Amino acid sequence: MIGNAGRLGPDVLWCFIRIAMLLPFAIAAILVVMFLPPRHGVLVLCFSLPLATFAVLGNVLLSDLLVMALCVAIFVQVLLTRRVMLKTAQGPLVWLALLLLWAGLGAWFMPRIFDHASDVVTLRQVDGRFVIDSFLLEPSGANATQFVRLVLSAGAFAAIATPRLGADPHRVVLRAVAVATIVHITLSGLDWMGHAFGVPWLMSPVRTLPQAILVNQHYPGLRRLIGGFTEPASFGLFTLGLYAFWLRFALAAWQSLWPALCAVVLGGFAVRSTSAAAMGGFAAITILAALGPGGFLHRGFGRGSQRRNAISFGVILFSLAPVLIAGAIVIVQLFPDVRAVLETGLLGKLTSQSATERLGWNAQAIENLKDSFGLGLGIGSARASSWGLSVLANLGLPGALLYGGFLYSVLRHPSGGDRRWNDCTPTIDALRWGCFAILLQSMLTAPFPNLGVPFFVMAGFCVALRQAGQQGSSATGSRARAVPPRRVLP
């Protein structure tokens, strides 16, 4: 943050201005979470999720302080008031606790047991610069760092999944996701318009993290958006998760245009990130959400007007398919920038040096699994370019089984008594799809086993609403049938 001697004074002054603005906000956020019910704390937590470059004290070591403090504050507040719901959450919490136990033991013991026994892809400093390359395994600070980050994410899940969210948890969750969406869209819009109108300093109050932020990456004629994140891939990951949530919610409970408008805007931002994984995930999520279970064509198996409307939509869709394909071809031919982005972002990515290097990382991750006899080399020891392979290389087969048990217990389709229609059902379905979208892109890009705080927050909301739905179903009886909500956003 401190440049040459000529700019020392202004930079130091700007640093103190940032601290003066951010520290009161952090303290106020923690106090709100500590002394108000959890339904207010989750709003503050979701408000902070898009602020990935927001460092409370302008220090890279404290960049996660706000989220960590909020998670701890929510959990402590829940324990103090003893308003804890563990009937449904105990299954995911047990899986997650076992996963953390295995990851903690592996972070300490595995790099020492297999010291210099395997080559790993990792980030190290060579000749004064940081490089990602293959080195012999040895214990490092990355083991503790990645374990702490996983604990932070797990803490976010525990803080969200265990408390009672009030008499109307459905609306609390919708408000929380809406707050995260509004903040994310606002920051993305400022990032877009700031450079378009020549005022990039609009994002300076948010980008206080003193590490490298990839602000000016360009594809041919197009600057890549990053919003409040450090680079396009993480921006696309968060955007895709919110996009999947609102798209699925619009299909599951079509009562307002707001979810559809949010999905359209977020889909445009996901494509504008020009991340190949984000664009591929956007196409996959759009097709699966529209045509899969609960989508328009699947509703054709319903009854009455719902069935006729779904069949009509399907006929119109397939009738317009040739026109849509022809229109896409015309757009690609008439606009060179669009063609350049597609060729560079999708086709060129497959044959680029980056793709070759990432395939090498994945191949090395498989070798790491073999060299560790299926136990893994310890979290933080090895990088990959796929979440699945990074789990196997770092946590081994036991960690993969524990992670799989946690994901199944959280994202499984409701069965039995959970199938009674209630206000929570569309939101639970949308949360599951948001988690699925993040998991889908992580399978292509994630270097370490941690899926990130946004994923665990959505997973925590899913478990909390499932508990509320079960209690609501048991309270109203088996013959009761609640009406879907008329309003989507408060």
Side-chain angles (χ1 to χ4, degrees), residues 12 32 66 87 113 116 124 140 190 194 218 232 237 254 285 287 343 351 358-359 367 403 411 425 478 484:
V12 172
V32 167
L66 180 59
K87 181 178 179 180
I113 294 175
H116 288 75
R124 290 189 184 177
S140 68
L190 291 177
H218 288 78
L237 182 71
W254 187 268
I285 290 298
I287 295 173
E343 291 176 353
T351 58
R358 290 177 179 274
L359 288 176
E367 292 297 324
Y403 227 137
L411 303 179
T425 303
S478 60

Short mmCIF file of all heavy atoms in Angstrom, two decimals, residues 12 32 66 87 113 116 124 140 190 194 218 232 237 254 285 287 343 351 358-359 367 403 411 425 478 484:
data_model
loop_
_atom_site.label_atom_id
_atom_site.label_comp_id
_atom_site.label_asym_id
_atom_site.label_seq_id
_atom_site.Cartn_x
_atom_site.Cartn_y
_atom_site.Cartn_z
N VAL A 12 -0.03 6.95 3.14
CA VAL A 12 -0.21 6.73 4.58
C VAL A 12 -1.50 7.38 5.06
O VAL A 12 -2.26 6.81 5.84
CB VAL A 12 1.01 7.27 5.35
CG1 VAL A 12 0.75 7.22 6.85
CG2 VAL A 12 2.25 6.48 5.00
N VAL A 32 -23.91 -5.79 16.77
CA VAL A 32 -25.26 -6.13 16.30
C VAL A 32 -25.49 -7.63 16.41
O VAL A 32 -26.54 -8.10 16.87
CB VAL A 32 -25.48 -5.64 14.86
CG1 VAL A 32 -26.74 -6.26 14.26
CG2 VAL A 32 -25.60 -4.12 14.84
N LEU A 66 -13.47 -10.05 9.79
CA LEU A 66 -14.87 -9.68 9.93
C LEU A 66 -15.77 -10.90 9.86
O LEU A 66 -16.63 -11.11 10.73
CB LEU A 66 -15.25 -8.68 8.84
CG LEU A 66 -16.71 -8.19 8.86
CD1 LEU A 66 -17.02 -7.53 10.18
CD2 LEU A 66 -16.98 -7.24 7.71
N LYS A 87 -32.03 -31.20 15.84
CA LYS A 87 -32.68 -32.43 15.42
C LYS A 87 -32.23 -32.86 14.03
O LYS A 87 -31.86 -34.00 13.81
CB LYS A 87 -34.20 -32.24 15.45
CG LYS A 87 -34.97 -33.49 15.06
CD LYS A 87 -36.47 -33.26 15.14
CE LYS A 87 -37.23 -34.52 14.72
NZ LYS A 87 -38.68 -34.31 14.78
N ILE A 113 4.95 -37.42 8.06
CA ILE A 113 5.09 -38.85 7.77
C ILE A 113 5.61 -39.07 6.36
O ILE A 113 6.49 -39.91 6.12
CB ILE A 113 3.74 -39.56 7.96
CG1 ILE A 113 3.32 -39.52 9.42
CG2 ILE A 113 3.80 -41.00 7.45
CD1 ILE A 113 1.93 -40.09 9.68
N HIS A 116 9.22 -35.45 1.93
CA HIS A 116 10.09 -35.73 0.79
C HIS A 116 9.79 -37.09 0.14
O HIS A 116 10.64 -37.63 -0.59
CB HIS A 116 11.57 -35.68 1.19
CG HIS A 116 12.06 -34.29 1.45
ND1 HIS A 116 11.74 -33.59 2.60
CD2 HIS A 116 12.84 -33.47 0.72
CE1 HIS A 116 12.31 -32.39 2.55
NE2 HIS A 116 12.98 -32.28 1.41
N ARG A 124 5.43 -21.49 -3.84
CA ARG A 124 6.62 -21.21 -3.03
C ARG A 124 7.36 -20.01 -3.59
O ARG A 124 7.17 -19.63 -4.75
CB ARG A 124 7.56 -22.42 -2.99
CG ARG A 124 7.03 -23.60 -2.20
CD ARG A 124 8.06 -24.67 -2.01
NE ARG A 124 7.51 -25.83 -1.33
CZ ARG A 124 8.19 -26.95 -1.08
NH1 ARG A 124 9.45 -27.06 -1.47
NH2 ARG A 124 7.61 -27.95 -0.45
N SER A 140 4.70 -27.08 5.85
CA SER A 140 4.75 -25.65 5.57
C SER A 140 3.60 -24.95 6.27
O SER A 140 2.68 -25.59 6.81
CB SER A 140 4.71 -25.38 4.06
OG SER A 140 3.44 -25.74 3.54
N LEU A 190 -20.61 -0.94 -9.86
CA LEU A 190 -19.59 0.08 -9.66
C LEU A 190 -18.28 -0.29 -10.35
O LEU A 190 -17.61 0.58 -10.93
CB LEU A 190 -19.35 0.29 -8.16
CG LEU A 190 -20.48 0.95 -7.37
CD1 LEU A 190 -20.12 1.00 -5.89
CD2 LEU A 190 -20.76 2.35 -7.89
N GLY A 194 -17.33 2.20 -13.15
CA GLY A 194 -16.16 2.98 -12.77
C GLY A 194 -15.11 3.03 -13.86
O GLY A 194 -14.55 4.09 -14.18
N HIS A 218 -7.91 -8.12 -19.33
CA HIS A 218 -8.74 -7.88 -20.51
C HIS A 218 -8.76 -9.10 -21.42
O HIS A 218 -7.74 -9.78 -21.58
CB HIS A 218 -8.22 -6.68 -21.31
CG HIS A 218 -8.47 -5.36 -20.66
ND1 HIS A 218 -7.70 -4.89 -19.60
CD2 HIS A 218 -9.41 -4.40 -20.89
CE1 HIS A 218 -8.13 -3.70 -19.22
NE2 HIS A 218 -9.17 -3.38 -19.99
N PRO A 232 -11.28 -12.81 -11.46
CA PRO A 232 -12.54 -13.18 -12.13
C PRO A 232 -13.10 -14.54 -11.73
O PRO A 232 -14.32 -14.72 -11.70
CB PRO A 232 -12.17 -13.14 -13.62
CG PRO A 232 -10.99 -12.24 -13.70
CD PRO A 232 -10.22 -12.46 -12.45
N LEU A 237 -17.57 -17.55 -9.43
CA LEU A 237 -18.06 -18.60 -8.55
C LEU A 237 -19.19 -18.09 -7.67
O LEU A 237 -20.26 -18.71 -7.58
CB LEU A 237 -16.91 -19.12 -7.69
CG LEU A 237 -17.23 -20.27 -6.73
CD1 LEU A 237 -17.47 -21.55 -7.51
CD2 LEU A 237 -16.09 -20.47 -5.74
N TRP A 254 -43.21 -19.05 -8.72
CA TRP A 254 -43.35 -17.91 -9.61
C TRP A 254 -44.46 -16.99 -9.10
O TRP A 254 -45.61 -17.10 -9.48
CB TRP A 254 -43.64 -18.38 -11.02
CG TRP A 254 -43.63 -17.25 -12.02
CD1 TRP A 254 -44.68 -16.49 -12.42
CD2 TRP A 254 -42.49 -16.72 -12.70
NE1 TRP A 254 -44.29 -15.53 -13.31
CE2 TRP A 254 -42.94 -15.65 -13.51
CE3 TRP A 254 -41.14 -17.04 -12.71
CZ2 TRP A 254 -42.09 -14.92 -14.32
CZ3 TRP A 254 -40.30 -16.31 -13.52
CH2 TRP A 254 -40.78 -15.27 -14.31
N ILE A 285 -26.21 -24.83 -15.60
CA ILE A 285 -27.23 -24.56 -14.59
C ILE A 285 -28.52 -24.09 -15.25
O ILE A 285 -29.63 -24.48 -14.84
CB ILE A 285 -26.71 -23.51 -13.60
CG1 ILE A 285 -25.61 -24.11 -12.73
CG2 ILE A 285 -27.84 -23.00 -12.72
CD1 ILE A 285 -26.04 -25.27 -11.87
N ILE A 287 -29.74 -24.82 -18.24
CA ILE A 287 -30.43 -25.94 -18.89
C ILE A 287 -31.02 -26.89 -17.85
O ILE A 287 -32.19 -27.29 -17.94
CB ILE A 287 -29.46 -26.68 -19.83
CG1 ILE A 287 -29.04 -25.76 -20.98
CG2 ILE A 287 -30.11 -27.95 -20.37
CD1 ILE A 287 -27.96 -26.35 -21.85
N GLU A 343 -13.91 -17.44 -28.56
CA GLU A 343 -12.74 -18.19 -29.01
C GLU A 343 -11.64 -18.21 -27.95
O GLU A 343 -10.99 -19.23 -27.72
CB GLU A 343 -12.20 -17.57 -30.31
CG GLU A 343 -13.11 -17.77 -31.50
CD GLU A 343 -12.60 -17.06 -32.74
OE1 GLU A 343 -11.61 -16.31 -32.62
OE2 GLU A 343 -13.17 -17.26 -33.84
N THR A 351 -6.75 -25.25 -25.23
CA THR A 351 -5.43 -25.51 -25.79
C THR A 351 -4.36 -24.56 -25.25
O THR A 351 -3.24 -24.55 -25.77
CB THR A 351 -5.48 -25.39 -27.33
OG1 THR A 351 -5.95 -24.08 -27.68
CG2 THR A 351 -6.43 -26.43 -27.90
N ARG A 358 -2.81 -26.92 -15.68
CA ARG A 358 -3.83 -27.42 -14.75
C ARG A 358 -4.05 -28.92 -14.89
O ARG A 358 -4.30 -29.62 -13.90
CB ARG A 358 -5.14 -26.64 -14.95
CG ARG A 358 -5.05 -25.20 -14.50
CD ARG A 358 -6.31 -24.43 -14.77
NE ARG A 358 -6.21 -23.05 -14.31
CZ ARG A 358 -6.47 -22.64 -13.08
NH1 ARG A 358 -6.89 -23.52 -12.18
NH2 ARG A 358 -6.35 -21.37 -12.73
N LEU A 359 -3.98 -29.42 -16.11
CA LEU A 359 -4.07 -30.86 -16.29
C LEU A 359 -2.89 -31.56 -15.61
O LEU A 359 -3.04 -32.65 -15.05
CB LEU A 359 -4.12 -31.19 -17.78
CG LEU A 359 -5.42 -30.84 -18.52
CD1 LEU A 359 -5.28 -31.13 -20.01
CD2 LEU A 359 -6.60 -31.62 -17.94
N GLU A 367 -1.19 -38.85 -8.43
CA GLU A 367 0.04 -39.48 -7.94
C GLU A 367 0.20 -39.28 -6.44
O GLU A 367 0.69 -40.18 -5.74
CB GLU A 367 1.24 -38.89 -8.69
CG GLU A 367 1.31 -39.25 -10.16
CD GLU A 367 1.46 -40.76 -10.37
OE1 GLU A 367 2.16 -41.41 -9.56
OE2 GLU A 367 0.86 -41.28 -11.33
N TYR A 403 -16.43 -36.03 3.58
CA TYR A 403 -16.96 -34.88 2.84
C TYR A 403 -18.23 -35.28 2.10
O TYR A 403 -19.23 -34.54 2.07
CB TYR A 403 -15.92 -34.37 1.86
CG TYR A 403 -15.72 -32.87 1.88
CD1 TYR A 403 -14.44 -32.33 1.82
CD2 TYR A 403 -16.79 -31.99 1.94
CE1 TYR A 403 -14.24 -30.95 1.84
CE2 TYR A 403 -16.60 -30.63 1.97
CZ TYR A 403 -15.32 -30.11 1.92
OH TYR A 403 -15.14 -28.75 1.94
N LEU A 411 -27.52 -31.81 1.15
CA LEU A 411 -28.13 -31.54 -0.16
C LEU A 411 -29.08 -32.63 -0.62
O LEU A 411 -29.59 -32.55 -1.74
CB LEU A 411 -27.03 -31.36 -1.22
CG LEU A 411 -26.00 -30.26 -0.92
CD1 LEU A 411 -24.97 -30.19 -2.02
CD2 LEU A 411 -26.69 -28.92 -0.74
N THR A 425 -40.24 -24.85 1.19
CA THR A 425 -39.86 -25.80 0.15
C THR A 425 -39.20 -25.14 -1.05
O THR A 425 -38.13 -25.60 -1.49
CB THR A 425 -41.08 -26.62 -0.28
OG1 THR A 425 -41.63 -27.29 0.85
CG2 THR A 425 -40.68 -27.65 -1.32
N SER A 478 -50.85 -33.74 9.35
CA SER A 478 -50.64 -34.32 8.02
C SER A 478 -51.64 -33.83 6.99
O SER A 478 -51.39 -33.92 5.80
CB SER A 478 -50.71 -35.85 8.12
OG SER A 478 -51.98 -36.25 8.60
N PRO A 484 -48.17 -21.22 -0.83
CA PRO A 484 -46.88 -20.62 -1.14
C PRO A 484 -46.91 -19.12 -0.92
O PRO A 484 -47.97 -18.49 -1.02
CB PRO A 484 -46.66 -20.97 -2.63
CG PRO A 484 -47.57 -22.13 -2.86
CD PRO A 484 -48.73 -21.96 -1.95
#
